[in-house]
Amino acid sequence: PHSPAAVPLALEAAHECLTNWVAEALRRRTVPFVVGGGNDQSYPNASALLDHCARTGRSMGCVNIDAHLDVRPALPGGRPHSGSPFRLLLEDARFRPVRFCEFAAQGAQCAADHVRYVRAAGGEIVWLS
């Protein structure tokens, strides 16, 4: 498939394009490798993979390697942003059982409410500091 970055798009349209691109790559039995962009792109990638897993009878896990947990609530109207992708994933009914790890999180970068949220959702946190 062609790169979804070929034409400038609004955020929501870019997310839809990326989801479709990853889904097409998976249908072709290739491994999509997405480089660049913000963390807001993590959920569109995972969404396509979750659909693929549902069609093929598989499941997935996720590791976020980052100092931040990125589980802030979406913006009004459910709009995603760079701080919300893993909350969206954890709240997605297709992501069951939850196999999620926040790796290399840094304590000074993570709100206590977000730590509690990840743990309550069944995720694990491996602290860097």
Side-chain angles (χ1 to χ4, degrees):
H2 293 90
S3 169
V7 178
L9 300 171
L11 183 64
E12 291 81 5
H15 287 170
E16 182 179 352
C17 183
L18 180 59
T19 300
N20 292 337
W21 183 83
V22 171
E24 179 61 23
L26 292 167
R27 275 192 289 281
R28 292 178 183 215
R29 296 180 174 238
T30 61
V31 177
F33 192 76
V34 180
V35 178
N39 268 357
D40 61 279
Q41 294 181 355
S42 299
Y43 181 71
N45 289 325
S47 184
L49 184 54
L50 287 167
D51 283 343
H52 177 76
C53 288
R55 279 193 312 278
T56 60
R58 297 181 177 171
S59 62
M60 64 170 264
C62 179
V63 177
N64 177 31
I65 304 171
D66 196 340
H68 312 99
L69 301 178
D70 296 323
V71 292
R72 290 181 294 174
L75 297 173
R79 292 185 28 233
H81 56 89
S82 65
S84 67
F86 299 107
R87 179 178 288 257
L88 294 171
L89 178 64
L90 289 166
E91 292 178 352
D92 191 318
R94 298 171 297 169
F95 188 52
R96 301 292 178 269
V98 170
R99 290 191 302 263
F100 180 69
C101 179
E102 297 273 14
F103 186 82
Q106 295 184 28
Q109 304 292 319
C110 303
D113 284 346
H114 297 163
V115 171
R116 285 189 290 275
Y117 176 83
V118 169
R119 289 180 175 154
E124 177 183 354
I125 302 171
V126 177
W127 297 98
L128 181 63
S129 60

